[in-house]
Amino acid sequence: MLELRAIERRYRSELVLAGVDLDVRRGEIVALIGPSGAGKSTLLRIIAGLDRADRGSIRLGGRDISALPPSARRVAMTFDDGALYEHLTVIENLAVGLEQFGFRGAAVGQAATEAAALVGASELLGHRPAMLSAGQRRRVALARAIARRPDVLLLDEPLTHLDLRSRLDLREDLRRVHEATGAATLLVTHDHADALAIADRLAYLDAGRMLHVGTAESFGRPAHVAVARGCSWHPMNVLPDPEGNGWLALPASAVTIARLETPSHAETTGTERLPSVGEVLFLSGDHGPLRRTEGDENGVVVTVGLQVARSSQESAPTVRLRCLLPRGLVLAVGDAVRVRLSLDQLQSFDRQGLAVAQAISGHQPPHRS
Ligand code: ADP
């Protein structure tokens, strides 16, 4: 349905979008996520026709719409403040929007009331925006966007600054509205929980580059090290590659932690070797107890001495290792713990940050020419 190819945008000399590709199918919701300043809103504005790309193409249903004005695109966009006319009632706001897109006569009232009903805003039609709660404003903004039955719906932070109840309600409304209209929907959000609750697929934009597009599950194998760092629902440990060639990433779920009953057990925990990535040693006992420093809903972060040097003589830098706290395990600051790494889940990234598709297990024979 919506096909973006090699979209590029510069503001003065700064490259804000660096050749973005993305497809959104009919009947699909894709969440556009990524750090602040990544270019998410810029991409939305370009699709809506409110900004222009310097290069690249936007196709809708096979037709290039890059040169069309916003009103000819069959693309609707909502903004996080709702962008409603304050002096008009809700029904008038909906009507004005429809008239801008060529609706006339009875069709205006019919499309407006249908859209209001779909988002659960029928009882608000006579209200002015000042009388609406934040959640109701978003609902009206959504009604205005879908009233003209666009092929593409662009939602810029539709759930930001809402209280929890309104947010959960609006998540459901968004899905329901989407099922009813089938519009290819692109949703910008900084909140990963919202993205996971609403979207079919997620697209991760960072510094103008689309680094990973796929289902929530697929982010367990991120295509770029920046995604490994930024994805909150598959928390990862990202460490420098001991060979200096890039990075290694290990999911938090691949790190298991157990409390040692007495510190003397630490001396018998020994070391574990990471195969095929050089002399990477995980040291616990000799280098002192592992200390819990902080924790959050994504697990516990323990600070451990993880040696990422080739020989054991070199001093081991201290890295922060994130792991999921097993149910029932109570840790106090200063407790000695044993950490085990499931190395079969180790992932490699090259110097450019791109995932290296390679089997990490086993010893690589030296290359002979
Ligand atoms: P996001 O939505 O991911 O937070 P934006 O698309 O708002 O990111 O912004 C991406 C980058 O483009 C930022 O560095 C921002 O400063 C810059 N930018 C956005 N709009 C303009 C503009 N109109 N003029 C100059 N720079 C802009």
Side-chain angles (χ1 to χ4, degrees):
M1 161 93 345
L2 177 68
E3 298 166 310
L4 309 180
R5 291 292 175 271
I7 300 288
E8 222 178 274
R9 179 68 171 117
R10 272 176 205 279
Y11 288 124
R12 292 182 202 88
S13 60
E14 193 196 349
L15 193 57
V16 169
L17 295 172
V20 168
D21 292 345
L22 182 66
D23 288 354
V24 186
R25 300 187 275 264
R26 183 188 293 280
E28 184 183 43
I29 302 184
V30 173
L32 188 54
I33 57 173
S36 167
K40 304 183 293 295
S41 297
T42 302
L43 188 61
L44 242 52
R45 287 202 307 275
I46 287 173
I47 300 167
L50 305 175
D51 193 356
R52 60 172 178 82
D54 297 316
R55 282 169 196 228
S57 70
I58 310 168
R59 301 178 81 81
L60 183 53
R63 191 164 72 115
D64 194 326
I65 61 165
S66 314
L68 296 180
S71 58
R73 290 194 177 198
R74 298 192 59 79
V75 174
M77 181 162 171
T78 68
F79 302 89
D80 66 357
D81 62 353
L84 302 174
Y85 296 112
E86 297 295 327
H87 63 291
L88 299 180
T89 61
V90 167
I91 184 91
E92 287 165 347
N93 262 285
L94 298 180
V96 166
L98 285 160
E99 283 160 4
Q100 283 168 353
F101 287 90
F103 284 65
R104 294 288 177 267
V108 175
Q110 192 183 339
T113 47
E114 270 176 22
L118 202 53
V119 303
S122 298
E123 75 283 13
L124 305 174
L125 288 175
H127 292 27
R128 283 187 204 285
M131 299 162 69
L132 304 177
S133 70
Q136 288 171 331
R137 286 179 85 98
R138 301 289 170 88
R139 237 181 232 123
V140 172
L142 182 61
R144 194 175 53 177
I146 61 165
R148 60 190 169 91
R149 294 287 170 148
D151 292 329
V152 175
L153 183 58
L154 305 174
L155 305 170
D156 197 356
E157 299 280 6
L159 304 168
T160 312
H161 306 312
L162 292 184
D163 61 80
L164 184 61
R165 184 70 257 163
S166 310
R167 216 174 112 201
L168 297 179
D169 287 346
L170 201 54
R171 277 184 188 172
E172 279 179 34
D173 293 341
L174 282 173
R175 282 243 48 120
R176 197 187 59 247
V177 165
H178 179 254
E179 272 156 31
T181 64
T185 299
L186 192 55
L187 160 96
V188 166
T189 178
H190 67 275
D191 189 305
H192 292 176
D194 288 336
L196 294 172
I198 300 168
D200 303 300
R201 290 188 301 146
L202 300 101
Y204 194 103
L205 192 69
D206 188 355
R209 293 179 304 155
M210 195 60 89
L211 298 184
H212 188 114
V213 181
T215 61
E217 260 320 291
S218 75
F219 279 72
R221 286 259 157 208
H224 194 280
V225 71
V227 182
R229 289 200 182 97
C231 171
S232 64
W233 66 98
H234 280 299
M236 290 256 177
N237 295 289
V238 178
L239 315 168
D241 184 321
E243 306 280 353
N245 290 331
W247 292 270
L248 301 173
L250 191 67
S253 57
V255 183
T256 53
I257 184 167
R259 196 159 69 88
L260 295 174
E261 289 312 318
T262 65
S264 64
H265 284 171
E267 283 154 27
T268 61
T269 54
T271 61
E272 295 182 15
R273 285 178 180 277
L274 306 188
S276 82
V277 286
E279 286 296 300
V280 179
L281 299 176
F282 173 65
L283 303 174
S284 53
D286 294 349
H287 287 244
L290 313 180
R291 291 179 185 279
R292 175 178 175 179
T293 57
E294 61 185 83
D296 59 26
E297 76 277 12
N298 289 319
V300 161
V301 179
V302 287
T303 305
V304 302
L306 181 65
Q307 189 171 359
V308 290
R310 298 205 97 216
S311 94
S312 56
Q313 270 76 48
E314 293 178 48
S315 63
T318 299
V319 297
R320 288 151 57 87
L321 202 57
R322 183 179 288 270
C323 58
L324 303 178
L325 193 63
R327 203 182 289 273
L329 177 62
V330 179
L331 289 176
V333 172
D335 278 353
V337 294
R338 176 166 50 212
V339 177
R340 288 192 190 283
L341 311 176
S342 297
L343 300 178
D344 53 334
Q345 295 184 53
L346 200 64
Q347 299 171 33
S348 294
F349 300 87
D350 66 17
R351 275 179 222 229
Q352 279 70 48
L354 296 172
V356 178
Q358 65 171 36
I360 316 271
S361 61
H363 178 70
Q364 303 271 331
H367 179 74
R368 292 174 202 276
S369 55

